[in-house]
Amino acid sequence: MREDQEFQDWGPEGDSGWTQEQDDRLRASLGALRHDVDAAGIPDVRFVMRRAGRQRHRAVAGIAAGAAAVLGLSWIGFQSMEDGATTAPPAGTSTPTTERDDATEEPTEEPTGTDGESPDAALVAPDDLVLAESGGPELSLFVPPALWESEAFTGGAATEAGMGEFESTALFDCDPDDVTWGAEDEGTFGIMGVWSGGSAFANQRVRVLDSPDAAAAYVNDLDAALANCEAPAEADNIVLDVQPLELSGAFRITTNFKDGTDPMTDFYYVVQHDGTPAAVSTFRLIDWSGEATDDEAVSEFERLADLVTGN
């Protein structure tokens, strides 16, 4: 409805039940929603994944709530014009959800513990991965989605594969891996996102090079990029604190925001596979609790790597 359009009662006898007051409320809700959308802004693409967990989540939740209010008012108006009934859903009975919430599978009776003894419970499926155009690595090189469950990073909650979509092959701000086409001399790759409790918290990227020596060089490049990672000069609100862990190839990166936003901590681990030495996995764990320790991250990386490096 245009702002300059005057209210009209479209009932056959002028008694449709759609009142001027309801019309004003709808206009106000639409205006508030438009303001929220305009105010939300578009973050720098290089840092959208950094702030998505906190600021974008809060912004989207607020906008979704406004949209729900508009939808509720529209439902009231529609029902009034149809038959005068007021069968709108009760207020407060729905909450914003993510696509992953809607797509969560029903729990199975099979055990999905972290000991790796039940691989058939949640094997990686091709649809769970983003793959190179030329094809992807062997599925056995990925940790089955259900086996990412951990006390430190999911609070013991179950885990599942995320949507097979991505914005880039890069898993961290200074990541030099940006090859997506899978040319022969660049190797092939696959990326899996892992979710828990309706939020993304982990990634595993597997790239298979043409030789073990090429894979070792790739590991060295990633390690150097992690160790020397800094926010670019134009990102004047962000300061990165990079610390190596007591595990070769593992790092903690804390993103601090000068505007007072709570810091975010990610852990990364780059490892060359033992059984498939031309393959390299890059693991990422997001510490949403802000309480995971370096030792817990190291223990988790070792556990995850043990599930795949023998393949």
Side-chain angles (χ1 to χ4, degrees):
M1 182 181 295
R2 299 193 307 274
E3 292 184 359
D4 58 350
Q5 182 176 344
E6 296 182 358
F7 168 76
Q8 295 183 16
D9 188 342
W10 290 331
E13 302 295 336
D15 58 354
S16 68
W18 184 256
T19 66
Q20 178 68 54
E21 180 183 357
Q22 289 172 321
D23 188 77
D24 292 341
R25 290 170 59 194
L26 178 59
R27 288 173 181 272
S29 296
L30 288 171
L33 177 59
R34 186 176 63 181
H35 173 77
D36 289 343
V37 172
D38 291 341
I42 301 177
D44 189 316
V45 68
R46 288 165 296 183
F47 307 107
V48 66
M49 295 305 294
R50 286 283 179 188
R51 308 197 68 161
R54 287 187 170 88
Q55 290 192 330
R56 188 172 67 177
H57 183 272
R58 291 195 294 264
V60 170
I63 293 172
V70 173
L71 181 60
L73 288 172
S74 300
W75 178 266
I76 291 173
F78 174 77
Q79 290 296 318
S80 297
M81 288 187 286
E82 280 291 302
D83 54 15
T86 56
T87 57
T93 58
S94 62
T95 56
T97 59
T98 66
E99 291 184 1
R100 294 302 304 162
D101 290 335
D102 295 336
T104 300
E105 297 178 357
E106 292 296 324
T108 67
E109 297 298 324
E110 301 177 14
T112 57
T114 58
D115 56 7
E117 295 179 356
S118 303
D120 293 337
L123 293 177
V124 177
D127 290 345
D128 294 332
L129 305 175
V130 174
L131 302 174
E133 294 181 6
S134 58
E138 292 291 333
L139 297 181
S140 60
L141 296 176
F142 292 87
V143 178
L147 300 186
W148 290 71
E149 173 185 329
S150 74
E151 289 297 329
F153 290 92
T154 72
T159 54
E160 61 180 341
M163 302 295 289
E165 300 177 1
F166 75 115
E167 295 180 356
S168 169
T169 56
L171 297 187
F172 57 95
D173 288 342
C174 305
D175 192 349
D177 187 334
D178 59 358
V179 179
T180 61
W181 53 86
E184 183 176 351
D185 61 338
E186 298 288 0
T188 186
F189 76 91
I191 300 174
M192 179 178 68
V194 186
W195 291 63
S196 179
S199 297
F201 88 98
N203 298 93
Q204 181 186 0
R205 179 182 62 205
V206 178
R207 188 174 288 281
V208 182
L209 285 301
D210 58 2
S211 70
D213 288 343
Y218 175 78
V219 169
N220 291 336
D221 288 344
L222 291 181
D223 285 349
L226 280 162
N228 298 291
C229 188
E230 295 181 353
E234 60 268 24
D236 55 4
N237 185 45
I238 295 176
V239 177
L240 299 183
D241 177 27
V242 181
Q243 296 295 329
L245 305 183
E246 294 296 323
L247 175 65
S248 178
F251 297 83
R252 166 172 44 85
I253 296 184
T254 303
T255 303
N256 297 296
F257 300 98
K258 295 180 181 180
D259 64 4
T261 301
D262 292 340
M264 298 180 66
T265 300
D266 294 8
F267 294 93
Y268 298 90
Y269 180 42
V270 183
V271 59
Q272 186 172 0
H273 291 232
D274 289 339
T276 309
V280 177
S281 275
T282 305
F283 293 96
R284 177 195 186 193
L285 293 171
I286 303 173
D287 177 22
W288 292 117
S289 70
E291 299 176 356
T293 67
D294 291 354
D295 288 342
E296 288 173 329
V298 167
S299 177
E300 187 64 12
F301 282 141
E302 291 177 330
R303 183 185 72 82
L304 294 170
D306 285 343
L307 294 173
V308 295
T309 53
N311 293 322

